[in-house]
Amino acid sequence: MARMADSVFATHAGPEIGVASTKAFTTQLAVLFLIAAKLRESRGRARGLTARERAALLHLPVALQKSLGLEAKIEKQAREFHDARNFLFLGRGLHYPIALEGALKLKEISYIHAEGYPAGEMKHGPIALVDENLPVVVLAPDDAWREKTISNLREVKSRDGISLVVTNREDEEIASLADYSLVIPDTIPELQPIVSIVPLQLLAYHMAVRRGCDVDQPRNLAKSVTVE
């Protein structure tokens, strides 16, 4: 593919040992951010990265390390959830794809049915599934949609759903509504998804381990896809 392509953007992630990609996904997000910044420059809207963006990128390894530091807490939560048969992941804006990725990772390596859904469309179907047996992972960063996301959390709570909130700012309201919460480091909104995905990847990993699944070689999955 690299030989056939007109241009190649290397992620420098190194070899991905496991079939279910994690670090490749994370580095691709960073590269796409840089491509977007370059496209912005080509349109004459800015010259290179802003000082704020550059500082956030340089701080990203520290933020990711702190996110990885939540592993012990996530492992404990995996013990609570590992018998679940279904999971729902909710996110808005840039965090909707992160909800999709979190659900995908859980499906791939723990064999639990999981669905990622835009939080704004929760009442158009998934809300019918919410009961005391359904864990709901809610991505609630401190962004323009925070209050709306907290409203989703209230809906889950009122139906006895089990909520796990991933946020970069925990306040009294989230603390009172969430059954479990993970507070991750804060960064600029455009890079926040890179930090937010780490706890979801760790959750999938520890769920799989608790269920006795092969994390590196999930059943029915292959490293290279040869069938269209």
Side-chain angles (χ1 to χ4, degrees):
M1 290 171 63
R3 286 193 296 268
M4 293 172 65
D6 294 315
S7 184
V8 175
F9 298 96
T11 62
H12 302 290
E16 188 82 78
I17 304 303
V19 170
S21 173
T22 50
K23 63 178 180 176
F25 175 81
T26 306
T27 52
Q28 283 170 7
L29 291 184
V31 168
L32 287 170
F33 173 79
L34 292 173
I35 292 172
K38 201 66 181 174
L39 287 171
R40 179 184 62 190
E41 181 180 303
S42 72
R43 288 169 170 243
R45 295 181 59 187
R47 184 174 176 82
L49 295 171
T50 65
R52 176 170 166 268
E53 291 168 344
R54 189 177 298 277
L57 274 171
L58 289 171
H59 187 259
L60 204 50
V62 176
L64 291 171
Q65 195 63 46
K66 289 181 179 177
S67 219
L68 287 167
L70 296 169
E71 185 166 12
K73 189 173 183 180
I74 294 168
E75 183 180 7
K76 188 175 180 179
Q77 290 165 352
R79 294 177 196 164
E80 303 286 334
F81 297 143
H82 77 278
D83 285 331
R85 301 185 66 180
N86 300 284
F87 256 80
L88 180 63
F89 289 73
L90 299 175
R92 290 175 183 266
L94 292 178
H95 279 76
Y96 167 48
I98 300 305
L100 292 175
E101 175 66 9
L104 177 63
K105 283 292 163 285
L106 196 63
K107 279 185 279 196
E108 284 182 322
I109 64 175
S110 72
Y111 316 142
I112 294 173
H113 171 256
E115 185 174 2
Y117 219 81
E121 297 180 22
M122 179 187 176
K123 286 193 172 183
H124 293 275
I127 198 168
L129 303 173
V130 179
D131 61 16
E132 68 277 5
N133 299 311
L134 181 71
V136 182
V137 178
V138 181
L139 293 159
D142 187 13
D143 59 15
W145 298 287
R146 184 178 177 85
E147 288 305 315
K148 293 181 182 294
T149 304
I150 289 176
S151 176
N152 291 123
L153 192 53
R154 290 195 199 98
E155 297 282 356
V156 171
K157 185 75 171 178
S158 68
R159 288 161 178 79
D160 298 322
I162 310 159
S163 59
L164 168 58
V165 177
V166 178
T167 182
N168 54 358
R169 180 174 69 85
E170 187 176 46
D171 52 31
E172 289 183 7
E173 193 165 22
I174 283 184
S176 66
L177 292 171
D179 294 296
Y180 305 89
S181 62
L182 294 168
V183 182
I184 58 174
D186 182 39
T187 185
I188 62 174
E190 298 85 354
L191 294 178
Q192 192 66 54
I194 298 177
V195 183
S196 300
I197 190 56
V198 173
L200 305 191
Q201 292 169 339
L202 286 172
L203 178 66
Y205 170 80
H206 284 292
M207 291 280 284
V209 170
R210 294 290 300 179
R211 292 165 63 87
C213 303
D214 187 336
V215 175
D216 289 324
Q217 300 291 330
R219 69 187 183 199
N220 303 333
L221 296 181
K223 196 65 181 157
S224 59
V225 179
T226 56
V227 179
E228 292 184 4

